[in-house]
């Protein structure tokens, strides 16, 4: 079903009860991209009806995660809009108005059955009648006069939907799952409003979607069982039923529902681990949707041009963090210099860089990008890879394996190489920049008649503490000459004295 209607209105409606889960983020991305692809409107609505967990702090977490992902909303918190307020707790008057409308239509009735009565009926049905078939409509038989008398007497009650006796199966065409049908006999007269006057989830979400003019509901398929119930409410309100598109589950590599046992599951965790928002959006967009079945790198602009409901699959998507790492690495390598400088600086500060470092080495961004961009899966690897830059004149601890394999290997002549290199590095006539340093040190290979590996590996261990590091001479550009020379002296004294 192709959609080109400029009046498309979609919403993402998270509950602010914690961090934004990856599954929720994928739902938000699909709604956002669909709105952009159709010239429609993307609404952010906060379902904050859980008073204990729906805190302002959690609302801020949701908003910050959405902002970091770059999923700008057209209506909602912080931006307003003509269909607000965009918090459910501020919309109680709309639910009361909808209930009054249903009463006038004869589509809602009060139910005075207590929880104890309902529990007893459920237990009896399950024990003697082959299973529970839902509420038995006891109070539906109450006359209007009796119901009013009991209400005026202060008897606690809920309000239930009066499902029409002659209603056939609830059917709808899901944009992902196709034609769906649910037998009406499993649709009991559901509660719309609780005894305390608060709306149930199904009632509130339908009221909100009607009042906000939602045309398409894209959400996880864990809501599929709610859909026929919600359709009954739409019908009772005389409101048009939106197009539904239910999205497949996101599974871990073991084929089970994605959870903390698989590692990070929230947007904030990936942000804090140094993933780029562009990569996360690209990756999540491909969990259940594809451009052509082959393309893996899709920027935001292309996603917002090409997204369509037809390309959503009902096959469960697998969250493969190895693929995300690869994709993030691709985005890191494609960063522009200004973006790299902004993103990398906090991580360099964690590694030990201070304001003096950034002042002393004004080319820090260019050099650090050169030495790292091909080697990063995510930015939180920067501190570990570049910590050695900030150790000063001495390596805190030499890797024992590297010492034995490189410095003390029989016949390696590591001490001889280090002494010759030390003289070159200390020579102020050699410019302190990568190309000049490498050329001067390479001359040591000819001077000692040694292979470059046997010359440079001891230097790497002496300066970095280990035999594996980013490109050495480029890194020297971000270090003081005196510190590099002092480290070589320290190793010569510590290992070869």
């Amino acid at each position: 079903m192709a959609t080109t209607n400029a009046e498309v209105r979609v919403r993402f409606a998270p509950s602010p009860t914690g961090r934004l889960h990856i599954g929720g983020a994928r739902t938000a991305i699909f709604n956002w991209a669909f709105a952009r692809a159709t010239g429609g409107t993307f609404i952010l609505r906060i379902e904050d009806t859980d008073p204990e967990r729906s805190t302002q702090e959690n609302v801020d977490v949701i908003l910050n995660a959405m902002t970091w992902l770059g999923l700008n909303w057209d209506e909602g918190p912080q931006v307003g809009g003509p269909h607000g307020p965009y918090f459910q707790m501020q919309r109680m008057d709309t639910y009361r108005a909808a209930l009054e409308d249903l009463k006038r239509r004869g589509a809602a009735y009060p139910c005075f059955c207590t929880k104890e009565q309902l529990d007893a009926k459920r237990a009896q049905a399950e024990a003697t009648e082959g299973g529970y078939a839902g509420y038995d409509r006891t109070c539906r038989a109450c006359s209007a006069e009796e119901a009013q008398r009991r209400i005026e007497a202060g008897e606690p009650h809920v309000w239930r939907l009066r499902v029409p006796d002659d209603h056939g199966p609830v059917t709808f065409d899901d944009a992902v799952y196709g034609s769906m049908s649910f037998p009406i006999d499993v649709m009991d007269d559901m509660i719309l409003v609780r005894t305390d006057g608060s709306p149930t989830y199904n009632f509130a979400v339908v009221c909100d979607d009607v009042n906000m003019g939602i045309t398409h509901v894209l959400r996880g398929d864990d809501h599929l069982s709610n859909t026929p119930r919600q359709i009954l409410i739409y019908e009772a309100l005389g409101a048009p039923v939106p197009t539904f598109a239910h999205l497949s589950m996101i599974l871990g590599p073991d084929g089970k529902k994605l959870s903390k046992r698989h590692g990070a599951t929230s947007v904030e965790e990936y942000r804090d681990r140094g993933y780029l928002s562009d990569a996360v959006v690209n990756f999540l967009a491909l969990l259940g949707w594809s451009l052509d079945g082959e393309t893996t790198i899709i920027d935001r602009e292309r996603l917002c041009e090409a997204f369509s409901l037809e390309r959503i699959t009902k096959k469960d998507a697998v969250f493969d963090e190895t693929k995300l790492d690869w994709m993030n690495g691709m985005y890191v390598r494609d960063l522009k210099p200004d973006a790299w400088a902004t993103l990398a600086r906090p991580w360099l500060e964690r590694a030990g860089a201070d304001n003096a470092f950034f002042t002393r080495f004004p080319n820090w961004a260019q050099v650090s990008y050169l030495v790292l961009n091909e080697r990063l899966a995510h930015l939180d690897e920067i501190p570990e890879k570049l910590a050695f830059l900030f150790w000063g004149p001495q390596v805190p601890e030499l890797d024992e394996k590297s010492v034995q394999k490189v410095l003390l290997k029989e016949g390696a002549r590591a001490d001889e190489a280090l002494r010759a290199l030390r003289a070159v590095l200390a020579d102020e006539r050699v410019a302190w920049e990568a190309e000049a340093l490498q050329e001067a040190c390479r001359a040591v290979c000819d001077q000692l008649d040694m292979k470059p590996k046997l010359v440079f590996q001891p230097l790497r261990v002496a300066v970095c503490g280990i035999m594996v590091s980013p490109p050495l001479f480029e890194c020297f550009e971000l270090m003081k000459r005196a510190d590099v020379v002092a480290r070589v002296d320290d190793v010569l004294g510590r290992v070869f004295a």
Side-chain angles (χ1 to χ4, degrees):
M1 176 182 59
T3 304
T4 57
N5 186 351
E7 297 302 317
V8 162
R9 292 177 61 82
V10 294
R11 49 73 168 177
F12 175 56
S15 297
T17 55
R19 293 183 168 191
L20 179 58
H21 188 273
I22 285 297
R26 191 269 304 262
T27 298
I29 291 167
F30 279 28
N31 277 280
W32 171 78
F34 182 55
R36 298 293 171 260
T38 58
T41 300
F42 175 51
I43 300 167
L44 178 61
R45 186 174 75 221
I46 304 298
E47 297 187 344
D48 58 342
T49 52
D50 184 335
E52 293 184 2
R53 301 173 65 197
S54 297
T55 64
Q56 183 58 49
E57 180 182 0
N58 284 337
V59 171
D60 292 341
V61 165
I62 297 289
L63 299 182
N64 290 338
M66 292 286 288
T67 300
W68 180 76
L69 288 170
L71 305 181
N72 57 310
W73 52 98
D74 305 303
E75 296 180 25
Q78 299 180 342
V79 301
H83 298 84
Y86 295 92
F87 291 82
Q88 280 191 333
M89 287 301 291
Q90 299 173 20
R91 300 180 61 82
M92 291 300 164
D93 58 332
T94 66
Y95 310 135
R96 288 191 289 268
L99 178 61
E100 291 303 316
D101 185 20
L102 291 178
K103 292 180 189 178
R104 287 192 297 270
R105 295 168 177 267
Y109 65 93
C111 173
F112 304 93
C113 297
T114 65
K115 181 179 183 301
E116 291 73 21
Q117 290 172 327
L118 294 174
D119 287 345
K121 288 181 180 181
R122 178 190 293 269
Q124 181 180 5
E126 290 177 345
T128 63
E129 299 172 16
Y132 180 65
Y135 177 59
D136 64 3
R137 299 179 171 179
T138 296
C139 292
R140 185 162 168 164
C142 287
S143 67
E145 294 74 20
E146 180 187 355
Q148 187 61 33
R149 177 185 58 77
R150 296 174 72 174
I151 291 173
E152 291 176 354
E155 189 171 346
H157 60 281
V158 300
W159 286 91
R160 291 183 180 272
L161 180 71
R162 188 187 301 272
V163 177
D165 291 324
D166 58 352
H167 199 296
V170 181
T171 62
F172 62 97
D173 288 323
D174 189 276
V176 177
Y177 283 84
S179 179
M180 305 293 292
S181 179
F182 293 80
I184 197 64
D185 58 6
V186 301
M187 301 292 139
D188 64 354
D189 288 358
M190 74 193 86
I191 297 174
L192 301 174
V193 175
R194 304 180 184 93
T195 56
D196 63 359
S198 64
T200 59
Y201 167 77
N202 281 324
F203 185 48
V205 75
V206 170
C207 292
D208 289 343
D209 286 347
V210 170
N211 291 332
M212 293 181 182
I214 301 302
T215 61
H216 295 74
V217 176
L218 282 62
R219 61 188 182 187
D221 62 6
D222 54 325
H223 285 285
L224 190 56
S225 61
N226 286 326
T227 303
R229 299 180 181 278
Q230 292 173 7
I231 288 175
L232 290 172
I233 300 174
Y234 281 106
E235 293 175 350
L237 289 169
V241 178
T243 297
F244 290 94
H246 287 93
L247 313 177
S248 63
M249 294 281 262
I250 299 178
L251 306 178
D254 58 0
K256 297 181 180 179
K257 184 179 178 180
L258 188 67
S259 67
K260 288 188 179 298
R261 69 174 175 275
H262 298 111
T265 59
S266 73
V267 170
E268 294 89 337
E269 288 174 284
Y270 284 97
R271 178 198 63 196
D272 295 345
R273 287 172 58 189
Y275 287 83
L276 306 188
S277 62
D278 286 344
V280 173
V281 169
N282 186 161
F283 178 77
L284 292 179
L286 296 179
L287 294 183
W289 177 86
S290 69
L291 178 65
D292 51 24
E294 297 179 358
T295 305
T296 55
I297 301 298
I298 304 173
D299 62 27
R300 293 171 186 270
E301 183 177 358
R302 182 70 178 123
L303 176 63
C304 290
E305 290 173 352
F307 190 88
S308 67
L309 302 185
E310 293 89 343
R311 297 294 301 179
I312 299 176
T313 177
K314 58 186 176 183
K315 181 181 178 181
D316 288 333
V318 176
F319 192 98
D320 181 354
E321 193 167 288
T322 300
K323 182 176 180 180
L324 173 57
D325 285 349
W326 167 83
M327 186 175 289
N328 198 66
M330 296 290 287
Y331 274 90
V332 168
R333 288 189 279 281
D334 200 39
L335 281 173
K336 299 293 187 289
D338 288 350
W340 169 262
T342 299
L343 293 168
R345 179 164 178 150
W347 296 101
L348 278 166
E349 291 173 345
R350 293 192 191 188
D354 54 16
N355 288 334
F357 168 83
F358 296 110
T359 301
R360 185 183 304 116
F361 303 110
N363 65 335
W364 69 269
Q366 177 184 353
V367 174
S368 62
Y369 179 75
L370 178 66
V371 302
L372 285 181
N373 76 316
E374 295 287 342
R375 295 166 175 80
L376 293 179
H378 26 91
L379 299 181
D380 70 347
E381 297 171 337
I382 290 176
E384 180 182 2
K385 290 183 182 297
L386 294 186
F388 71 91
L389 296 179
F390 311 102
W391 288 339
Q394 187 179 53
V395 175
E397 183 178 357
L398 297 173
D399 175 63
E400 185 59 31
K401 181 178 179 181
S402 299
V403 170
Q404 297 299 325
K405 190 172 182 179
V406 175
L407 299 183
L408 297 180
K409 184 178 180 180
E410 186 176 353
R413 300 168 59 195
D415 57 337
E416 189 178 349
L418 282 177
R419 290 188 175 90
L421 289 168
R422 194 262 184 215
V424 171
L425 295 169
D427 190 346
E428 296 282 352
R429 294 170 298 177
V430 179
W432 198 251
E433 60 88 25
E435 188 173 345
L437 287 168
Q438 186 165 358
E439 182 179 349
C441 289
R442 192 168 289 278
V444 171
C445 301
D446 297 331
Q447 174 189 328
L448 299 180
D449 191 24
M450 294 174 64
K451 294 180 179 179
K453 178 180 178 180
L454 295 177
V455 173
F456 295 151
Q457 279 282 53
L459 180 61
R460 192 180 303 277
V461 176
V463 175
C464 307
I466 196 167
M467 57 185 163
V468 179
S469 78
L472 193 59
F473 295 105
E474 285 79 359
C475 288
F476 282 174
E477 290 191 23
L478 300 179
M479 301 175 66
K480 297 178 184 178
R481 186 193 296 264
D483 285 345
V484 174
V485 173
R487 291 187 195 183
V488 175
D489 286 341
D490 178 65
V491 168
L492 285 171
R494 201 189 324 180
V495 178
F496 298 106

